Amino acid sequence: MITSLIAAFMIGILGAGHCIAMCGGISGAIAHASKQTTDANTLAPLFYNLGRISSYTLIGAIVGFTAQIGLNFGAGYDLLLILRFVSGITLILIGLYIAQLNSAILQLEKVGRLVWRYIQPLARRFLPLKTPYHAFPLGFLWGWLPCGLVYSALTLALSSGSALNSALIMFAFGLGTFPIMFLVGRLSSEFNKLIQNSQFKKFSGLLLVLFGLHVIYIALVQLSASGI
């Protein structure tokens, strides 16, 4: 469980460039709206990100609860090991995408678009922000934006087989994304250049590939021990 929490947190941190690319538009809108007062300049991004992390945690609890029901109705420990193997593959794919070596993970985002087309109109109702506090429901809804990075963390969460553990894994992922997304409007141009640098992306992506290989290795060892 500790390994999964660390992996989820690192997915969030190392995927910073992808986060900015996916949510740059909405973050810019919030930054523009929050220039009204000093308090708003801090509160709006804070509440937006708290809402976003809350949605990740809820989604994690939902997928974990689904896995938990499956286990209660006869799906065995071996299924969890297979899910961990799949999560390792997903980690490798998102790592290759961040490293700009392969974009296969984007195919997963097509599934999320079916739900997003119903949620997006609701989210846009909160724009422009009337108060900084409206950023929380905006962030909560925007957390459902189709994103391969989120889905890679979700596969890891699903393999926990528990609603609570799955929620904690997605919470850890959200915390990993928090620093960059909270500071996105305040980051220096030099730092922005760093996280968008192709060499930095390759380094971040390949670290995720290593995480994925580690997860696969552990899953294969456990599967072998279980007799599969």
Side-chain angles (χ1 to χ4, degrees), residues 90-169:
T90 311
L91 281 170
I92 290 173
L93 289 176
I94 194 65
L96 292 174
Y97 172 67
I98 290 173
Q100 299 178 313
L101 298 174
N102 186 283
S103 59
I105 193 69
L106 295 182
Q107 297 302 314
L108 279 177
E109 295 181 0
K110 293 181 179 180
V111 178
R113 288 173 195 162
L114 299 175
V115 176
W116 179 240
R117 67 180 179 182
Y118 295 104
I119 295 178
Q120 186 180 27
L122 296 176
R124 291 198 175 278
R125 290 184 182 181
F126 292 97
L127 290 172
L129 294 177
K130 295 183 176 63
T131 73
Y133 305 104
H134 282 84
F136 182 87
L138 173 63
F140 184 84
L141 292 171
W142 217 265
W144 294 81
L145 177 73
C147 173
L149 196 69
V150 174
Y151 297 156
S152 66
L154 268 177
T155 58
L156 191 64
L158 180 62
S159 69
S160 73
S162 159
L164 176 59
N165 289 343
S166 184
L168 288 174
I169 288 171

Side-chain angles (χ1 to χ4, degrees), residues 36-37 39-41 43-45 47-48 129-136:
Q36 302 168 12
T37 66
D39 288 342
N41 192 42
L43 289 176
F47 279 103
Y48 167 75
L129 294 177
K130 295 183 176 63
T131 73
Y133 305 104
H134 282 84
F136 182 87

Side-chain angles (χ1 to χ4, degrees), residues 37-62:
T37 66
T38 302
D39 288 342
N41 192 42
T42 299
L43 289 176
L46 175 63
F47 279 103
Y48 167 75
N49 283 288
L50 288 177
R52 190 173 53 81
I53 293 171
S54 295
S55 72
Y56 295 156
T57 305
L58 175 61
I59 296 169
I62 291 172

Side-chain angles (χ1 to χ4, degrees), residues 8-20:
F9 184 74
M10 293 306 296
I11 292 171
I13 290 178
L14 296 175
H18 182 67
C19 286
I20 291 176

Side-chain angles (χ1 to χ4, degrees), residues 139-205:
F140 184 84
L141 292 171
W142 217 265
W144 294 81
L145 177 73
C147 173
L149 196 69
V150 174
Y151 297 156
S152 66
L154 268 177
T155 58
L156 191 64
L158 180 62
S159 69
S160 73
S162 159
L164 176 59
N165 289 343
S166 184
L168 288 174
I169 288 171
M170 290 307 294
F171 179 73
F173 164 75
L175 285 182
T177 67
F178 179 81
I180 294 298
M181 293 305 298
F182 178 68
L183 296 172
V184 67
R186 303 176 178 85
L187 295 175
S188 66
S189 59
E190 290 77 12
F191 189 80
N192 274 318
K193 287 179 181 177
L194 171 64
I195 61 178
Q196 297 299 336
N197 180 274
S198 62
Q199 295 303 315
F200 180 79
K201 287 182 177 180
K202 283 184 172 58
F203 173 75
S204 299

